[in-house]
Structure formats: structure tokens, C-alpha cells
Amino acid sequence: MEDVISFEDLPTDAFVQILLRIAPSKRRRLRLVCRRWRNVIDSRAPVRQSRVKTLVYLPAGTAAYVLDDLAEGCYRELWNSAANPDPPACYSRVRMVGTCNGLICLYDECTGDIVLLNPVTGETLDIPGPPGHRLRQQGFTYHEATERYKIVHLAVNEGALEAVELLTLGEDASWRKMRAPARSICSLWFGVVSDDQATYWITRNTGDADMLRSFDLTNERLEPVRSLPAAANKFFVGCLRKVHGRLCVGVHIRDYENNTEIDEMWLLEREGWRCRFYLTTRRCMQEVSLPPPVVVEEEVKEVLSETAVSVSRPRPPEPEKEVVKRRLERKEEEEASESVASAAAEKAKAKCGGEREGEQKAVVGGMEKGRARTRTPEQRRPKEAGNGRTRSPSPHGSSILALIALLFFATAATPPPSRSVIFLGSFRSPGTAAMFADGVAAYDAGLARGEWVHNAILHQLNVCIHPGV
Amino acid sequence: MAAATDDAGDSNEMIRVVSSDGEHFEMPEAAANLSLVLRHMIEDDCADAAGIPLAVVAAKPLAKIVDYCTKHAAKSSGLTIEEAEELKRFDAEFIEVDTDMLYDLLVAADFMGVEGLSKLAVQRTADLIKGKTPEQNRETFGIVNDFTPEEEEEICKENEWAFQITKPPSRLC
């Protein structure tokens, strides 16, 4: 008996026990051993299909990149305004508000409109901006407790926070205003960060130390301030970001003697602030006026992953003007990809707030099969159609759609990210922008990836990444 | 040690078991009780002088299992730190076996319901698998690669996305 047996005959239950003791990352590789191993892993000890993809959206809408493989450092340009025949000035007005669950929230400074887009399906949704205000700083997030997407706008007047305005998708589509206490000085240029519970920013009162302020999304009220890492008050706050789902404060230190700038990254962990890594940057003799990249943390959940896994193969990018029309046509034609999207859409729709909100479910809910197919763009409300056929030649429309198309291109081939991390950028001085391909990866692997980023995109800079102190 | 002696003293009776290839083994009742299957047999009064037949366990692994159970039964309760350490060392040495024996132990421990040994063998196997490439795993465990080159490539592609570092919980404090 012993002579003929092999591990292939091992009872499945025992084999599953073994597999479960192996880390998912390693288990995944075992799928290559033989069919049985693959089948058992897939059916009994599945490896969560968590894929990393990072989207880099250069500010002022000049270009967007997807980083395909952080380890190898390969990336693709998704979109570039220079390649577009329309005047680039208009792109510079489209800013990214944030991303959440794979949806991207953009703000058009020309029109004051907010556009939500789903790069997986190419759906867009126009959302009215907050009334009476130029949208300055805002957050876009998914509120776990109420299962709603929320956009938070911090209405600032002469440096003081006047009110927090909140729009909840799937509700009545109006902005609700919460007055802020008097003399709430805020420093929004460091960044506004949202997680599933709150929106955070830095507040600064004259003569006082910088503090962290937050707006709680559950209770819809401002929370008491909390302190920043001590280093932030000793030197300069560089930026406020989200890293690995945690708040991160970049502290900027200038070392004039060595002609170097150091950026320490302090993460708010359970025990408090901790410096997880830092960057050193050799200062260039002449300042490079390169706008810092906006790098987003993508958090596509299973819903969207499923969609993308089975969406048909991507096609090469098309001339911009064709994109809009074709996209709409495709919607009618592509039974396959549509039906796939619909399953995910059902779920996504539920998340976004169900049936009631006719307009607002367009982005997410619009992925819904029947609706997407039966509705022609003209049947949609006029505004929404503005991003479709009717307004397609407008620079704004096509720029966004170009982005959609290209993002679609990027994400359809391979499942979209369940997580990707890049966070730096927007440092105080131009020329010291830097980003991490992946906070952890950069932390672990150090220079290689930092240099790659430096070589690939920020070639003007000389950035090194070090483990924290 | 006193406690251990007491334990053994409670069940003086020796239980006889017979391997699939007809070899007879003896162990204290306390040891046999570590096996769910044997315990049930004993409770049902099926343990007679002829011995309990174990149809799927060959002599070689059975000898090891008797060894394991005897050792663990003698030290089942009231362990001092040193004794626990010693038991750990015993386990570590015990499971240093070739893959054939490991396989036999996995199957036999599973069949006989010896929980501790099952865990030990499972962990050992997992440790063996962990650090190896798929090819090395095939070699170690005598597995034939039954994928077509196309399938293999497909899986490789899927695995490209495995570049992943576990994300810490996203809650802030």
C-alpha cells in the first residue's frame, strides 16, 4: 500500500487543513502544482482575489497612469491631455476629489459640477456642486454604517471654516449644511482625508500648534481636535494623506547644510503617531516646477472585482471623439460584458442606496442591466446626458470620458484593485513631490521601488525611501 | 511526574491493536483513549484480547502512533514547564520523518481521530510545502503536473496579481 500512495491521494479534509495553515500569498502559488491542488484551493481554501493596482492621477488633469506591477515597475499611461486635440486649459480644471470602492469622484472647476465615474463600466454621474460656493476642499467616501457614498465639502472663507456641507448619494441629492464654530481656522492645502467614519483635515489657530480636526460621518458633527505628532509642530507639516487606510502626516524638514529635504511619514496607529518611513530628497539647484502627483488609494470591493474579472477584453484606446459614441453603442451591443456588469451592479446599486434615487444611481445603479440597455442617453435627464452623446465634443465631457475609457481599458483586462496604495505628493515646495508605489512595499523593499517611481515618472527628482525610525 | 504516574495507574489495562498487515501492538488504556476511534471501541467493550483491528493502518505508522499516544498519555495533565518543553521536543523529533511516513501519519491520525497528532502532521506538512516552488513541491510529494502549458500560463498570469501585502485593518485607532 505504501508503495503506491502519494500525496495526491490525501483525504481532502486533511489536505484543506494543511492548506489553511499556509499563508494566502503562498497558497496562491500552490495552485500551480497540479489540477487537484488548484481545485481544492479554489473550492475549499480560496485565496482572496485581492489585487493591487494603483492609479496615479497627475494634478490639473494632465495625465493618468496605472501601475500594473509594482515589483517590476511597469506602468501604463492611461490618458494624457497633451494627446487630446482640445485645449488643455480645460483639463487643468478637472480635479480629483477622491476615490472609493473603485469609483472616482472628479470636480470640474469650470462648471462647479462634481462628476462621479465608474472606470469599470464607464458610467458617469453628474452631481450638483454645493450651492453658493466654489468647491474648494472635499472628500468622497463610503460610509460603512449607512451604506451610502458621501461627499463632504469644507466651506472655507478667508481661512476659516464656515460650514461643513454634506451630500449623501441615494438620498435627496441636496447638500446639507452644518455650521462650524467661529474661528475654526483650517489648513486644507495639506489635504483632506476621508475614511469610512470621518473626514479629517488640519486646523491651525494663530500661535497654536497644528491640530487634527475631523467631521464624524455617523453623527454628522465636528469632533474635538487631536494632536499631531510632535515633529509636525517642530518642523513643517508637509501633507495629510491616507496610507494603508490610516491617517498619515508628512513632516517636512529642510537640511540646508546638506542640501537635502527630508519627509517623515507619521502614521496614526492604535498606539498613536508613529514614523513609519521617511524620504530624503536632494534638492535641485534650480527648482523644478513640476506639479506634484495626486495618487489615490483605490479600494475596489468584491462587487467591482467581479465585474471586471469577467468583463470582455479591453480594446485599444480610440480617438477621443469616437470614444463617447462608441461607448454608448457598445452598451447596447455588448451583451456579454453588460450582463456581467449587471450582477455586480445589482450589488453596487444596493450599496448606493437602492431604487429611489433616480438620478444618483445612474453611476452605480446605471450599471444595472435592464436600465442601461433600455435607456437611451436622450432619455436620461439632460444633465446626465451631458456626459454622453449630446455634449461629447465639449472638452470637459471628452476629457472625463477619455479618462473613463482609458481606465476601463486598464481595469478590464485584469481585475481592478482591491487595494492600491500611493499616497504622497503635494508637498509644500514644488520639486519635492514624491510618491510611493506601495507604502508597505516601499517600506519593505526600500530603494528599488522608490527609484523606479523616480525614474518612471518623476525623473526630475531624486528621491530615496528609508524605513522609519 | 507524580500526576503522570497516577494517570497511568488509573487505567492499568493494556489495549491491544492490530495493524492492517497483522502486527500486534499494546498500549495503556490512557494512551488508546487519545484516539477517538479506540476510545469508542473501548467504551463499547470491543477491546478484547484479540486486539482491535485497524484495517487501514499499517504496522509502521501504527508503531509510531502507539509511541506518540503512550508518550502523550503519560504526560497528559499537570505538566510542569520543563515537561511541556520536553513534550514539545519529543513532538519535534517525532515528526522528523520522510514524506511517506508523514503521509501515513496524516491518514492514520485522521482515521484514528488522534487530534494532537493530526495537528502535528498537518503543521509539519504545511511547513514542508510553504517554502517550495510548485516544481519542488511536485518532487517532494510525488505529484505529476497535469496542467497543459496553456493552463499553466493562465494560472501564472492570475498569480501576477498576487503581489500583495496584507493590509492592516483600516480603522483609525
Side-chain angles (χ1 to χ4, degrees):
Chain A
M1 186 168 162
E2 277 165 78
D3 296 334
V4 292
I5 56 163
S6 88
F7 264 73
E8 286 183 75
D9 304 314
L10 194 65
T12 305
D13 284 343
F15 187 39
V16 170
Q17 288 309 309
I18 293 165
L19 289 171
L20 290 175
R21 285 178 184 243
I22 296 170
S25 57
K26 291 183 173 152
R27 208 187 301 152
R28 185 191 288 270
R29 274 205 326 182
L30 300 177
R31 294 172 78 247
L32 261 172
V33 172
C34 65
R35 281 164 198 264
R36 181 184 180 224
W37 283 37
R38 182 196 60 185
N39 296 344
V40 173
I41 290 171
D42 288 351
S43 61
R44 300 281 302 276
V47 182
R48 213 180 129 251
Q49 299 292 302
S50 42
R51 297 167 181 84
V52 173
K53 263 209 180 181
T54 300
L55 172 72
V56 181
Y57 184 88
L58 292 188
T62 51
Y65 298 88
V66 70
L67 311 183
D68 281 318
D69 187 333
L70 300 172
E72 294 297 314
C74 70
Y75 72 100
R76 277 176 293 156
E77 185 179 280
L78 293 179
W79 171 70
N80 190 334
S81 66
N84 199 292
D86 292 314
C90 287
Y91 298 111
S92 67
R93 313 221 177 185
V94 179
R95 274 194 294 124
M96 175 145 56
V97 174
T99 68
C100 192
N101 292 342
L103 299 176
I104 298 177
C105 184
L106 295 174
Y107 173 60
D108 180 351
E109 289 180 340
C110 290
T111 62
D113 276 344
I114 299 172
V115 180
L116 206 56
L117 68 88
N118 183 337
V120 178
T121 61
E123 296 275 343
T124 63
L125 167 67
D126 280 7
I127 298 164
H133 267 290
R134 302 291 287 162
L135 195 59
R136 298 298 294 274
Q137 281 293 346
Q138 61 293 105
F140 168 60
T141 192
Y142 179 71
H143 186 225
E144 208 76 68
T146 52
E147 303 194 330
R148 289 282 199 276
Y149 287 93
K150 288 174 189 268
I151 301 172
V152 175
H153 171 229
L154 303 173
V156 176
N157 194 8
E158 293 183 356
L161 182 70
E162 285 187 338
V164 179
E165 294 175 289
L166 183 72
L167 184 133
T168 303
L169 272 80
E171 284 178 359
D172 58 0
S174 64
W175 289 87
R176 275 186 300 129
K177 202 168 189 173
M178 269 69 66
R179 291 243 156 253
R183 294 180 58 248
S184 307
I185 308 296
C186 55
S187 315
L188 300 185
W189 55 86
F190 295 128
V192 176
V193 171
S194 295
D195 64 9
D196 58 0
Q197 292 167 24
T199 296
Y200 307 83
W201 64 94
I202 288 172
T203 177
R204 165 180 289 175
N205 290 321
T206 328
D208 292 347
D210 289 346
M211 302 291 263
L212 186 67
R213 187 100 215 211
S214 62
F215 178 77
D216 186 291
L217 293 170
T218 309
N219 304 318
E220 300 193 350
R221 63 161 190 237
L222 285 165
E223 294 290 302
V225 291
R226 56 191 304 171
S227 58
L228 292 176
N233 292 318
K234 197 170 164 196
F235 302 102
F236 300 104
V237 174
C239 63
L240 180 68
R241 292 288 180 274
K242 195 156 90 172
V243 181
H244 312 152
R246 292 172 187 279
L247 273 188
C248 172
V249 169
V251 175
H252 191 72
I253 303 160
R254 289 188 179 183
D255 181 354
Y256 290 107
E257 274 180 22
N258 296 311
N259 201 28
T260 302
E261 301 191 0
I262 302 162
D263 290 294
E264 292 182 347
M265 309 315 302
W266 291 79
L267 267 65
L268 184 54
E269 303 190 338
R270 205 150 289 144
E271 307 76 32
W273 292 101
R274 190 174 160 215
C275 179
R276 292 304 296 256
F277 30 86
Y278 62 97
L279 302 169
T280 58
T281 311
R282 298 280 302 168
R283 297 188 64 186
C284 308
M285 286 316 283
Q286 73 260 41
E287 290 271 303
V288 184
S289 59
L290 175 80
V294 174
V295 184
V296 292
E297 184 168 342
E298 279 284 276
E299 299 161 347
V300 172
K301 293 199 169 167
E302 295 306 317
V303 173
L304 293 172
S305 305
E306 284 165 26
T307 316
V309 171
S310 15
V311 163
S312 58
R313 286 264 151 204
R315 51 205 84 227
E318 301 171 65
E320 295 305 328
K321 282 176 183 166
E322 297 300 307
V323 169
V324 178
K325 283 181 193 168
R326 296 247 184 110
R327 175 150 298 284
L328 291 166
E329 283 158 20
R330 254 182 242 150
K331 233 180 257 163
E332 327 285 278
E333 288 163 12
E334 284 184 17
E335 292 286 328
S337 66
E338 201 176 71
S339 62
V340 171
S342 68
E346 291 291 339
K347 291 186 209 166
K349 187 192 71 178
K351 261 190 183 171
C352 201
E355 284 289 343
R356 286 173 295 141
E357 58 303 334
E359 303 157 359
Q360 299 218 325
K361 71 184 170 206
V363 162
V364 200
M367 295 188 293
E368 188 187 353
K369 184 180 178 180
R371 207 168 287 272
R373 220 187 309 170
T374 51
R375 258 196 206 174
T376 66
E378 286 76 19
Q379 282 171 309
R380 300 181 180 185
R381 72 186 176 106
K383 202 167 192 187
E384 194 182 317
N387 277 317
R389 200 175 281 162
T390 51
R391 223 172 65 185
S392 61
S394 91
H396 167 211
S398 55
S399 78
I400 288 184
L401 278 153
L403 182 61
I404 300 166
L406 289 159
L407 283 172
F408 177 82
F409 175 72
T411 49
T414 40
S418 65
R419 174 191 72 118
S420 63
V421 176
I422 276 206
F423 69 104
L424 292 183
S426 295
F427 279 88
R428 185 170 279 178
S429 62
T432 52
M435 60 186 173
F436 289 1
D438 180 309
V440 175
Y443 175 68
D444 289 340
L447 287 176
R449 276 167 215 145
E451 277 178 354
W452 159 69
V453 170
H454 149 62
N455 289 332
I457 300 174
L458 301 173
H459 47 87
Q460 294 93 329
L461 302 175
N462 184 3
V463 178
C464 300
I465 300 167
H466 314 273
V469 287
Chain B
M1 259 335 255
T5 330
D6 283 350
D7 267 13
D10 285 343
S11 47
N12 271 334
E13 215 171 311
M14 295 300 274
I15 301 294
R16 293 166 69 88
V17 288
V18 187
S19 71
S20 61
D21 39 2
E23 268 191 58
H24 287 247
F25 295 88
E26 265 189 1
M27 61 181 138
E29 189 177 328
N33 275 336
L34 290 180
S35 153
L36 214 64
V37 169
L38 292 183
R39 201 174 79 210
H40 288 155
M41 300 280 269
I42 295 164
E43 283 166 2
D44 296 345
D45 277 336
C46 297
D48 52 21
I52 301 170
L54 294 166
V56 301
V57 187
K60 257 169 76 182
L62 188 55
K64 287 280 283 182
I65 292 173
V66 168
D67 219 27
Y68 175 91
C69 290
T70 309
K71 182 77 177 179
H72 277 256
K75 293 193 184 293
S76 59
S77 59
L79 286 185
T80 64
I81 295 171
E82 291 93 62
E83 282 169 335
E85 284 292 313
E86 199 220 313
L87 208 53
K88 241 188 195 169
R89 271 199 303 278
F90 167 84
D91 280 354
E93 273 174 41
F94 177 87
I95 206 65
E96 277 289 327
V97 292
D98 59 28
T99 49
D100 283 346
M101 177 56 90
L102 188 59
Y103 176 88
D104 289 341
L105 287 176
L106 274 169
V107 174
D110 193 45
F111 170 76
M112 292 173 67
V114 187
E115 204 195 329
L117 181 56
S118 269
K119 276 190 186 159
L120 187 62
V122 160
Q123 188 58 56
R124 166 73 177 167
T125 316
D127 290 343
L128 281 179
I129 292 174
K130 253 184 239 176
K132 294 193 171 66
T133 63
E135 187 48 47
Q136 287 168 330
N137 268 316
R138 286 185 209 119
E139 253 170 57
T140 308
F141 298 105
I143 292 166
V144 181
N145 181 4
D146 52 1
F147 285 122
T148 63
E150 293 79 36
E151 281 175 317
E152 215 165 332
E153 200 184 321
E154 189 64 27
I155 298 173
C156 280
K157 258 189 203 156
E158 290 169 30
N159 280 8
E160 278 174 17
W161 298 97
F163 177 76
Q164 171 74 46
I165 295 153
T166 325
K167 185 185 181 182
S170 69
R171 307 250 171 230
L172 286 158
C173 285

